[in-house]
Every structure is written in C-alpha cells, then in structure tokens.
Amino acid sequence: MSILHTVNKSPFVNNSLASCLRLAAQGDGILLIEDGVYGGLNHTGFTPELEQALANFTLYVLQPDLAARGIVNQAHPKVQQIDYAGFVDLTVFYTNVQAWF
Amino acid sequence: MKKILFIQRRSPYGTGFAKEALDAILMASAFEQEISLVFTDDGVWQLKNQQDTKTLGIKNFSPTFKALELYEVKQIYVEQMALEQRGLQIEDLIIPVTVLATAELRQLIQQHDVILSF
Amino acid sequence: MKFAILINSAPFSHQASDTAYQFCQAALNKGHLIHRVFFYHDAVYIGSSLMCPPQDEPNITVHWQNLAKQHGFDLAICIAAALRRGVLNEQEAKRYGKSSANLAAEFKIVGLGQLVEACLTADRLMVFGG
C-alpha cells in the first residue's frame, strides 16, 4: 500500500504541498502538476524543503507543466520528469491516489 | 465494501467547496460503505461553533454536521496540529470529534480505498 | 484499469479541467477505461453549450464531448451544483420555468449518487481540483 499524491498549487502561495509532505507516508510518491511544479525547482526558497522531502518520498513533476511555464531547465535534477502517459502509469503503480489542491 | 475517506481542508464560506463537500458526504452515507471524515488545515474552521451568517444573507450549514450521526457517519477526525495552529480546542467545535496526532492521521489515510478531497 | 474522474473547478479560471482531459486521453491511449467523468462545483460550467471561446482557444466542452463519444463513457454533471449555477437540461428548464436549456450534448445531469457509485466501481478515483 502506498499512495500517489498530486499537488497542483505553488508552495509560495498555498500550504497544499506542505500539508502533503506532512501527511504522506514513507515510500509514497508525490507528483507536482499545474502550479505545483513551482515546488519542484532548484535554487528557490523552497528547494531546501524539497531536498528534505526527497529523503522520504519519490518526487515527480509533470514535464508539460514545466514546459508551459518556461522552467524545464530549472527543475531539480532529483525530481523525475514525466509526461501524461507517465502520470497514468504512476496511478497504476501506486495503490491509491490523493489530490491536494 | 470500500473504505471511503473525505478530507476537508477548506474554510466554510470563502469558497463553496465545504458546503458541496458536505452534500457529497451525506450522499455517500446512503451507500452503506465505511466512511471516515477528516478535517485538517483550514477545514477545521468548518466545525467552529457559534457560526452566524445572518448578516451575510447566506445559509449557515454548520448545523448539518450535527446530523452526521443520524446518517451513520461516526468516524469524524480532526488533526490536533490544525486545531493548535488556529487557536482552537475541541470545546470550540460544533460536534464531538476524535483528535489525531499527525502520525495517526498519516496512518489513517493509508488505510482507505478511496480518498475524496475537496 | 478502470478510472473514475472528479473535476472540481471551472473551465478557464483553472487548469484542472485541462489536466483531467489530458490525463483521460493518455489513460485511454494506454488501453485503460474511463468509467465516468463527474463534474462538480464550478466544473459544471463545462457542460454549458453556450460557451463561446475565441477561435484560437480550445473549447474544452467540445473536447470532452468528442472523447466521451469516441470511448463511450459518461459525462455526468451534479444536478444540485448545476441548478445553482444555471446549467439546465430541457426537463429542468421546464420544471423551473426558465426560457431555455443549455446542457451540451453528451452531458447528463445526474444525482451525487453517481459520484459515489463511480468511486465504488472504479479501481482508481482521480480528483482534479481548484
């Protein structure tokens, strides 16, 4: 049993990602989508928290949302970039899905 | 039978989510599944007693929470940290609830088949 | 795998309905099934046939209609949320004495029980929120 958490809000305006990180269990996956992708970047004020999260969870980011926002190159190297097909695969790989928004 | 978890993270009146989520909870109760209800983050404000919406001219839906017991929705939880961060105590809430530490809530989430967040 | 989809946000105001659409397309391409897409809260506006976005912008209502027609899944709109916001089929328009109905083809106005049924039937519930 492990959960795929989706987060679609920027950590700079909203506590959805913070709450997700607080309540996700060891081994869960966290997928950043829509404005959630701003939480998956390198060299931001949030990066230290992101790196802490990487110790407990696998982090993914939806690449088309990075691309739309012009920040593909700023994505953290340890956050796995996936496309929509990869998103679908993750929902099958994990046994449940929880949305944070 | 499936174990369904509703997670409420929104305050009651600033958006319409809380009220329409409550409608979904009441509907789900008719399906004789195992339903749990969690309030965390700003969702705990939904349960604040003394809500008075008369001046706003909108409906105060908080009394509906008292009916949850009649609908056999009896597993109602709030996260302790969410209460503390907002200066709330269980005496401030409109219905009796089970208070969970963060670690307990984390475990509870893992035990469900369906997670509905609003 | 069988998916139930819940969309909670308005079109144009929020990306959620676009993400949900891309997700469904990808899932169907991989041979998965969509059991039902349930439109709740402001997402009920997606069922309005009266939306006229500029020609160079996608029409999300038409996208959903085409996908649902092609793959035979339900586009279910919550009746309580829809009536509040003025998305009506012929029957409801008549019942409430309104001059016209605006529910787009392929969409159905249903009770909230259909959301719960979808959760119970599907292997996964995907929530796209705002």
Side-chain angles (χ1 to χ4, degrees):
Chain A
M1 279 294 287
S2 51
I3 297 177
L4 176 70
H5 302 264
T6 63
V7 180
N8 75 347
K9 292 291 182 297
S10 165
F12 300 105
V13 292
N14 174 299
N15 71 350
S16 291
L17 181 51
S19 293
C20 170
L21 293 174
R22 184 177 79 242
L23 290 170
Q26 185 101 30
D28 282 357
I30 297 171
L31 169 62
L32 307 172
I33 64 172
E34 301 170 9
D35 282 352
V37 300
Y38 293 116
L41 304 182
N42 213 351
H43 311 302
T44 72
F46 189 75
T47 304
E49 282 164 82
L50 173 68
E51 289 178 342
Q52 223 174 349
L54 282 160
N56 294 312
F57 316 111
T58 310
L59 273 106
Y60 310 90
V61 65
L62 197 57
Q63 200 273 350
D65 279 323
L66 287 176
R69 290 161 177 79
I71 50 176
V72 174
N73 295 335
Q74 214 181 325
H76 194 284
K78 290 196 175 144
V79 176
Q80 296 181 35
Q81 297 186 24
I82 57 159
D83 59 8
Y84 287 101
F87 183 0
V88 173
D89 290 342
L90 289 179
T91 65
V92 176
F93 175 76
Y94 291 93
T95 48
N96 204 353
V97 185
Q98 178 174 2
W100 300 83
F101 52 89
Chain B
M1 182 177 309
K2 283 197 176 182
K3 295 179 79 167
I4 303 177
L5 179 67
F6 286 88
I7 299 190
Q8 305 274 71
R9 297 182 49 242
R10 306 267 185 145
S11 54
Y13 300 107
T15 72
F17 277 106
K19 191 197 171 301
E20 287 188 324
L22 184 56
D23 293 341
I25 292 159
L26 296 177
M27 176 54 73
S29 71
F31 282 72
E32 295 181 351
Q33 307 293 311
E34 202 179 320
I35 294 174
S36 303
L37 185 49
V38 166
F39 295 86
T40 187
D41 295 334
D42 276 349
V44 298
W45 292 119
Q46 293 181 33
L47 299 178
K48 177 70 180 70
N49 59 13
Q50 300 175 338
Q51 292 178 34
D52 178 357
T53 61
K54 273 191 222 84
T55 314
L56 297 189
I58 59 176
K59 193 168 158 187
N60 174 2
F61 62 88
S62 65
T64 312
F65 289 114
K66 292 183 184 162
L68 285 174
E69 203 179 357
L70 301 173
Y71 286 84
E72 298 291 322
V73 179
K74 290 176 178 168
Q75 302 184 68
I76 304 175
Y77 305 94
V78 300
E79 189 184 3
Q80 187 171 10
M81 189 180 134
L83 289 179
E84 281 170 10
Q85 285 178 332
R86 288 159 182 81
L88 291 172
Q89 297 181 323
I90 43 170
E91 296 78 46
D92 299 317
L93 306 182
I94 195 166
I95 49 168
V97 295
T98 305
V99 177
L100 296 180
T102 299
E104 294 172 308
L105 176 53
R106 186 181 299 130
Q107 212 171 5
L108 182 87
I109 293 170
Q110 297 284 333
Q111 290 161 359
H112 285 80
D113 304 308
V114 178
I115 303 168
L116 276 150
S117 37
F118 287 106
Chain C
M1 187 145 293
K2 200 185 282 180
F3 288 95
I5 310 290
L6 169 62
I7 308 179
N8 285 331
S9 318
F12 306 109
S13 312
H14 198 280
Q15 201 188 337
S17 57
D18 303 302
T19 305
Y21 176 74
Q22 298 288 347
F23 178 88
C24 287
Q25 236 184 358
L28 291 162
N29 285 342
K30 283 182 162 283
H32 298 297
L33 292 176
I34 305 295
H35 174 61
R36 177 173 300 137
V37 181
F38 193 90
F39 299 86
Y40 199 27
H41 303 287
D42 283 355
V44 300
Y45 289 121
I46 297 167
S48 166
S49 62
L50 299 179
M51 287 196 288
C52 307
Q55 288 218 322
D56 60 345
E57 287 179 22
N59 187 324
I60 188 75
T61 305
V62 173
H63 283 179
W64 279 116
Q65 285 172 321
N66 291 340
L67 202 64
K69 215 188 296 183
Q70 194 184 338
H71 295 276
F73 58 82
D74 283 356
L75 299 175
I77 297 207
C78 170
I79 184 163
L83 291 181
R84 277 189 192 113
R85 292 168 176 83
V87 177
L88 306 178
N89 59 13
E90 294 286 351
Q91 192 187 342
E92 298 302 327
K94 201 177 287 175
R95 189 198 315 268
Y96 289 93
K98 301 295 179 185
S99 55
S100 61
N102 61 343
L103 185 71
E106 307 297 327
F107 287 80
K108 275 188 274 191
I109 289 192
V110 304
L112 257 178
Q114 296 276 306
L115 169 62
V116 183
E117 190 275 339
C119 293
L120 299 181
T121 305
D123 303 303
R124 294 283 185 278
L125 168 72
M126 296 298 300
V127 181
F128 294 92

